Every structure is written in structure tokens, then in C-alpha cells.
Amino acid sequence: MKKIITLLLVALLLCGCSANDQKTVKIGILQLMTHDALDKSREGFIDALADNGFIEGENLEIDYENPESDPTTLGMMADTLVSNDNDLILAIATNPALALLKANIDTPILATAITDFKEAGLVENLESPEGFITGVSDGCPADEQLALIQEIVPDIETLGIIYTSSEPNSEIQAEQMKEVCEAAGIEVMIKTVSDKTVINDTLASFKGLIDALYVPTDNNIASAMGSVDIFATENKLPVICGESNAVANGGLASLGVDYYKIGYQTGEMAVALLKGEKTIGELSVTTQDDISVYYNSKTAEKIGLTLPDSIIERGEDVGK
């Protein structure tokens, strides 16, 4: 009889332990580099998980890697995340997503801060992604960006574009902008940089040749917006950016995404995967739910430009 009671107590104890135990979810994150926009994407992603019950330090373990744009380190970190038995991996920016795919994994990948998943070679079908990757794009239609530029600089004849040659995102946006500008009869002058060390010289080469400068969602240049701000102020030049953080850091205006929001949307996709509600193929590549106008009143004052009332009425001032 005592033996039966003892066995029952052990069984109850084991049941109690099972009820209280909760599987810890492991999520890898591979972020291209440190700067405001990508950091905000990661923050939004983690907040979305927490709002849905996946809390870091309780039932969520985050395996975070950041190569600070070094391509060799990026590849090694992708391999590390693949081998660490994560339940899913988040890629923040195009190159990390490409590195993870190259690692030949069968782990689900979510990606954010990528302009064009199809052009980058990440998916063939945006509606029903095949393979292991989907996510949220930071793309904004080039024709709408151009309309914003013309609203601010109605007599524009030449638009300068600067981007980093090693960033696929930026190249795609530059070519898209060039196409719509040429269709509108606007001359385009494109210059590329390899890294931050040549940004100042490249900016100087635009002097006196352009009416406005367009900076796409470029991670390298976003981290050096201080240099762009100085150049624009000295030359009284409007700088239109691909995203709001660059505007807050010295650009003039943008019809762009909020990186926290696209990170949050990507986090909601992760929740659907983790709960078994969706598969990768059932999660279409999407964009931010609402794209807004952002402007910087301090920048406008510095370059001596009065923004149209239409911009101020519908936009958000990120310069305050």
C-alpha cells in the first residue's frame, strides 16, 4: 500500500513539473550592422514577440549576431546561427538574408529591412514564397518618392543619387528612381561609395551640379548622415531619404517606412509560425501597413527652404 501511495505522489509531482515547464523558443537574429533603423527593426520584432507571450529571459532565448558589415564575419555568423538549432532566424537587411540562404538551412527565415525580395533573389513568388524565407519589405514606390521630391522642389532638373555599391537594396532603389525620373524628364546623376571613408569626397563631387539629393534606404550612408547633413547645409541642398530615421538625422523629407513598425509586423509573422498557425509559404512578403510623410523642420530652416503646407499638414516632423 505504501508503495502504491509513493508511486502516486511521484506521478503527481512529475505532472506538476510538466504543467509548469514551458518550452523555451530559440530565435536567431543576424543584423547587418548597428544603426538606428536596423536597431529599431530588431526592437519592434522583439516587442511583437513579447506582446504575444514570447518573453526574453522567460520562454524566449535570442541568439544575436552582428558583423558590422564585414562580409567574411557575416558568412561565419550565418553558419553559427544555422548550427545553433534555432527555431527560426530573423535576417535584418538583404545581405544577412542572402548569407543565411547560402548556408543551406531548413530553418524558417524571416527577413525585414529589405527593399525587393524578388530582385534580391530571395523569393520567386511574393504571394506564396517557396522555400524557407519571407518577411516585410521596406520598399516604397519610386514614383511616389519622386512626387514628394517634385512637391518640395517643383522646378527640379537634376537629381543626385548616392548609395553604397555593395548594398543590393540601395542599388535596386537607385535604378527604380532613375527610371521614373527619366520618364519625367529629370536628369539623374548617380554616384556610389564603397564605404564611409569616401562619402565626403563623393558628396563634394555633386557640388553645383544637382537640385536635390536622393538617399535610398542605405545602411552605410544612414550611419553617416552627419556628413550628408553638413554637405546639404553648406550647399543649401534638399536631401530626400528613403526612410524616417535618416530624416531625423539630417535629411529633409521622406515618404518612407517606420522601421520599428516593419520590425513589429515581422514579429507578428514569427508568432504565427511559432504557434503553428502559418507556414512560410502561407505568409506573403508584405510591406508596412501605412507609409507616411516625414520631414525635418530644423533641416528646412538650415538650408533656407520653406516646406509646402501640404507636406506640413500631412507629415510628421521628426526634427523636433
Side-chain angles (χ1 to χ4, degrees):
M1 185 67 180
K2 287 182 179 180
K3 185 176 181 180
I4 293 173
I5 293 173
T6 301
L7 290 172
L8 286 172
L9 288 172
V10 170
L12 288 170
L13 183 60
L14 290 173
C15 288
C17 290
S18 299
N20 292 326
D21 285 345
Q22 188 173 6
K23 180 182 180 293
T24 296
V25 170
K26 289 185 64 178
I27 294 181
I29 297 179
L30 184 57
Q31 179 175 322
L32 179 63
M33 64 187 296
T34 301
H35 79 67
D36 290 347
L38 303 187
D39 292 345
K40 287 184 181 297
S41 291
R42 187 180 76 252
E43 180 185 341
F45 179 82
I46 293 171
D47 283 353
L49 290 169
D51 289 345
N52 287 275
F54 297 96
I55 300 170
E56 188 176 8
E58 294 184 13
N59 61 345
L60 172 65
E61 179 183 335
I62 293 180
D63 187 1
Y64 175 66
E65 299 283 359
N66 182 338
E68 298 296 358
S69 294
D70 181 78
T72 303
T73 308
L74 175 64
M76 292 189 296
M77 288 181 172
D79 290 337
T80 297
L81 289 173
V82 168
S83 63
N84 281 355
D85 196 29
N86 289 293
D87 294 296
L88 65 84
I89 303 175
L90 171 69
I92 306 179
T94 304
N95 288 340
L98 291 170
L100 287 166
L101 283 184
K102 187 178 179 181
N104 296 318
I105 66 170
D106 56 6
T107 302
I109 303 170
L110 291 175
T112 192
I114 292 172
T115 297
D116 193 320
F117 280 68
K118 194 169 183 178
E119 282 290 326
L122 295 169
V123 301
E124 293 184 4
N125 188 328
L126 298 174
E127 295 298 321
S128 302
E130 298 176 357
F132 303 108
I133 188 166
T134 188
V136 182
S137 166
D138 63 0
C140 177
D143 56 346
E144 295 183 25
Q145 286 279 21
L146 178 58
L148 179 72
I149 294 170
Q150 292 176 304
E151 191 174 354
I152 295 171
V153 190
D155 57 350
I156 185 171
E157 294 181 359
T158 305
L159 177 69
I161 301 176
I162 185 171
Y163 72 90
T164 305
S165 55
S166 61
E167 293 201 23
N169 256 13
S170 307
E171 182 177 5
I172 290 167
Q173 292 171 77
E175 290 303 318
Q176 290 173 342
M177 181 60 76
K178 178 183 178 182
E179 184 178 339
V180 298
C181 281
E182 290 178 345
I186 297 171
E187 185 180 347
V188 174
M189 182 178 293
I190 297 179
K191 295 182 183 291
T192 63
V193 298
S194 55
D195 54 52
K196 286 187 283 190
T197 63
V198 296
I199 287 178
N200 286 332
D201 289 341
T202 305
L203 288 169
S205 68
F206 281 117
K207 188 172 182 178
L209 300 175
I210 60 176
D211 302 307
L213 180 67
Y214 176 62
V215 179
T217 53
D218 186 293
N219 298 303
N220 180 47
I221 296 176
S223 66
M225 276 303 294
S227 296
V228 178
D229 183 21
I230 291 170
F231 173 76
T233 302
E234 290 176 348
N235 294 277
K236 307 300 180 185
L237 190 70
V239 177
I240 309 302
C241 306
E243 51 94 8
S244 60
N245 290 288
V247 177
N249 291 325
L252 176 64
S254 172
L255 179 66
V257 300
D258 181 315
Y259 277 83
Y260 178 86
K261 289 182 179 179
I262 65 170
Y264 195 95
Q265 279 183 235
T266 312
E268 291 177 321
M269 296 173 84
V271 171
L273 288 172
L274 293 170
K275 290 185 175 181
E277 298 169 352
K278 298 281 186 179
T279 64
I280 288 288
E282 295 170 329
L283 290 169
S284 301
V285 174
T286 186
T287 57
Q288 183 179 319
D289 293 335
D290 54 329
I291 295 179
S292 305
V293 173
Y294 301 92
Y295 68 92
N296 189 320
S297 57
K298 290 182 179 179
T299 298
E301 185 178 346
K302 285 192 297 184
I303 67 173
L305 185 146
T306 301
L307 285 166
D309 290 340
S310 56
I311 298 289
I312 296 172
E313 287 169 2
R314 74 180 193 276
E316 177 184 344
D317 186 357
V318 295
K320 291 183 178 179

